[in-house]
Amino acid sequence: MPDSAAEAYDLAVLGAGPAGLAGAVTAAELGLSVALLAASDRPGGQFYRHPAPAVGATRPEALHHDWAAYADLRDRLAASDITRLFGHHVWAVTREAAGERWAVHALTGEEGPSHGHGYSHGHGHSHRPSPSPSPSPSHRPAQRPVTLRARALLLATGSYERHLPFPGWTLPGVVGAGGAQAMLKSGLALPGRRVVVAGSGPLLLAVATSLTAAGAEVREVVEASGYAGYARHPAALAANPHKLAEAARHGMALLRHRARPRTRSAVTEAHGTDRVEAVTVSRLDRDWRPVPGTARRVTCDALAVGHGLVPQIDLATALGCATRRTPDGVHALALTPLQETSLPGIWAAGETSGIGGAQLARAEGELAALAITARLTGARPYPLPRLRALRRRRDRMRAFAETMTAAHTPGRGWTGWLGDDTEVCRCEEVTAGRVREAVADYGARDTRTVKLLTRAGMGWCQGRVCGTAVACLSASDTTAPAPPDRRPLATPVPLGTLARLPSAGSAPTEPSPPTEGQPS
């Protein structure tokens, strides 16, 4: 295992989901030396998350569709000489002073008591962190810093859930839609027996289908947008018939289990004492404002709610990579036709460049590996027919992904769900009223100013859970959300690790500030 400056690779792949696995195995098969780093302890990422060995699951493939594609990548990984660094949390990437190599800084090992917070990266649900006692000298964190170096990087860090708060969303039993699916895939556990699935986006159908198949009673599937927006892009639909077939399978499964779909509706409040007991479902107008007189109460013991996914691009924006706004208003990396970012030597694949699903992620990972190999070896991308086919497939699926995100874009009126006493930032217990006060009384017009005035976004999740809500409450009708903040650390790091970094004489060069727009 590499430690400090011991070894340099041709390629370091960050993330072991569909994009990272496809990129790593393809590059290794083309002759590159590859290191694959992932925070999880096994390959697969969030999409191919599967039960831990202790659970004793005998058929993990039953929890997934397209398992054969993962099995192929897993087997190719096992047959390769790729250096597999699972359980490695990458907190920063820096450019070496000479400019020809990248240094990847990670933490590995078990976390100690001082890191016992409840925040979870990825598609899971975030619980309020509880204070932990300071560790005694005999119980200090066992994590240790690791640095490896590579000539090129492939960022395949995936995404996390977009949360839109509402009164009662902090009750036990309210989980992220992706978090409910992660519980089922990794622990064979249900969030409850009578579940309402709500939010917006195609993930809701997959989650509801998985829950019903596992024995839960899905009372309703509450979709805030609807599906009429897809019809405005017939070419994208016709070019991706497998997506229509997939949606039809989910629809038939839900009908068999009598799970009632409700479109143009949202859960606008959750009720309960010790845990959620019921939710209020309201009809929405086209701007997602609740229609007066339409509220009704649905009993349940769990609510799985999510409003799409947000690309996880912290490492890239810290380096200054250019971003673009996606049709649903979030920021993704802007890439060249061969998946390269605006910084030469860094490529990206999968949901870092926009939410599009596992098939698109695999195609982008393979395409990036071909381009990286050509760059590092000085050869033409090989083989050219394979390259052209991958680009056509990528472009076709990306067009559908853009259609999908546009169809499920949150309307600006959703902030009307929030009372002034509704918590927006759970880590720092900042309410919507305090954010509104910062905007109305103190002139805050962006998330950074709101953060300085209220501490919203300064907690353990670093704004991943509350960021969308704070941005929407901060923006006026005439301003668009600003590009994501540039954070020097992508994950919490002990101060001792920072103190042991190389001296200033070998410090990395300073990257240019992040920009918004397609690189030339």
Side-chain angles (χ1 to χ4, degrees):
M1 182 177 297
D3 197 358
S4 232
E7 185 173 357
Y9 295 86
D10 291 325
L11 173 64
V13 179
L14 311 188
L21 287 176
V25 298
T26 301
E29 290 165 355
L30 292 171
L32 299 188
S33 61
V34 179
L36 175 64
L37 298 91
S40 60
D41 58 358
R42 288 173 298 166
Q46 295 290 344
F47 187 85
Y48 291 119
R49 180 192 287 262
H50 41 287
V55 175
T58 57
R59 296 182 61 247
E61 64 273 14
L63 299 169
H64 302 79
H65 69 274
D66 208 9
W67 180 260
Y70 166 70
D72 172 67
L73 293 172
R74 177 198 60 197
D75 294 345
R76 290 162 66 190
L77 176 65
S80 73
D81 60 356
I82 294 172
T83 300
R84 285 153 252 176
L85 302 175
F86 297 113
H88 282 62
H89 299 261
V90 177
W91 58 270
V93 173
T94 56
R95 191 197 296 272
E96 296 283 77
E100 297 179 355
R101 294 191 307 182
W102 299 96
V104 180
H105 306 284
L107 292 173
T108 185
E110 295 296 325
E111 292 182 333
S114 64
H115 295 79
H117 301 274
Y119 177 68
S120 172
H121 289 279
H123 297 176
H125 185 60
S126 173
H127 300 280
R128 188 193 313 281
S130 57
S132 299
S134 298
S136 65
S138 61
H139 293 85
R140 292 195 183 278
Q143 285 188 322
R144 66 183 181 87
V146 171
T147 298
L148 66 83
R149 288 163 174 80
R151 298 167 61 198
L153 299 179
L154 174 57
L155 304 180
T157 47
S159 61
Y160 52 90
E161 286 198 88
R162 173 166 48 193
H163 297 277
L164 302 184
F166 50 88
W169 76 301
T170 58
L171 281 170
V174 180
V175 300
Q181 195 171 48
M183 290 171 61
L184 182 59
K185 288 181 178 181
S186 61
L188 304 183
L190 293 171
R193 286 294 172 183
R194 296 176 301 155
V195 188
V196 172
V197 178
S200 186
L203 179 63
L204 300 186
L205 297 179
V207 170
T209 301
S210 298
L211 294 176
T212 56
E217 177 193 353
V218 174
R219 307 297 306 275
E220 290 187 7
V221 181
V222 184
E223 164 62 59
S225 292
Y227 303 98
Y230 289 85
R232 290 194 285 270
H233 302 273
L237 295 179
N240 294 272
H242 62 286
K243 291 292 186 181
L244 297 178
E246 184 179 328
R249 286 195 300 271
H250 288 313
M252 293 299 294
L254 294 176
L255 286 176
R256 286 196 302 271
H257 290 89
R258 298 180 180 178
R260 291 169 290 183
R262 306 279 184 177
T263 58
R264 292 290 174 190
S265 301
V267 169
T268 52
E269 188 171 1
H271 312 277
T273 51
D274 295 331
R275 68 174 290 122
V276 62
E277 299 168 1
V279 296
T280 293
V281 177
S282 303
R283 290 282 295 170
L284 302 180
D285 64 17
R286 291 194 174 275
D287 202 30
W288 286 33
R289 294 184 178 88
V291 177
T294 63
R296 55 189 178 82
R297 196 177 179 103
V298 180
T299 59
C300 61
D301 60 13
L303 168 65
V305 58
H307 293 85
L309 303 173
V310 179
Q312 189 157 305
I313 57 176
D314 311 56
L315 292 169
T317 54
L319 287 165
C321 293
T323 63
R324 66 179 182 93
R325 285 195 70 199
T326 64
D328 60 344
V330 303
H331 286 84
L333 295 181
L335 304 178
T336 69
L338 291 179
Q339 302 296 132
E340 193 169 13
T341 71
S342 59
L343 291 184
I346 299 182
W347 285 256
E351 294 178 332
T352 52
S353 58
I355 309 304
Q359 290 183 338
L360 174 58
R362 292 196 302 268
E364 290 186 342
E366 185 176 347
L367 180 59
L370 293 178
I372 293 167
T373 303
R375 176 74 59 80
L376 297 186
T377 62
R380 296 172 60 190
Y382 176 83
L384 285 177
R386 178 180 174 188
L387 181 78
R388 296 189 184 106
L390 279 170
R391 287 187 61 174
R392 287 194 296 269
R393 191 190 318 164
R394 188 270 315 273
D395 293 345
R396 182 179 71 244
M397 290 189 288
R398 179 56 67 191
F400 180 85
E402 301 284 292
T403 297
M404 176 184 69
T405 54
H408 297 284
T409 301
R412 298 191 70 126
W414 75 266
T415 56
W417 310 350
L418 307 178
D420 281 344
D421 60 346
T422 304
E423 280 191 7
V424 173
C425 173
R426 301 174 63 167
C427 298
E428 297 294 326
E429 300 182 352
V430 179
T431 63
R434 286 180 58 193
V435 176
R436 288 167 174 154
E437 179 185 39
V439 173
D441 297 347
Y442 300 108
R445 292 294 181 269
D446 55 71
T447 55
R448 180 175 177 80
T449 306
V450 169
K451 180 194 300 184
L452 294 173
L453 291 171
T454 68
R455 293 190 59 83
M458 288 189 178
W460 188 256
C461 83
Q462 287 293 285
R464 289 182 178 87
V465 174
C466 67
T468 297
V470 173
C472 290
L473 289 169
S474 305
S476 68
D477 292 336
T478 59
T479 60
D485 288 341
R486 178 179 171 185
R487 301 179 183 275
L489 309 179
T491 190
V493 183
L495 288 176
T497 298
L498 297 179
R500 291 192 296 270
L501 287 177
S503 63
S506 57
T509 56
E510 177 69 15
S512 57
T515 57
E516 184 176 359
Q518 183 71 28
S520 59

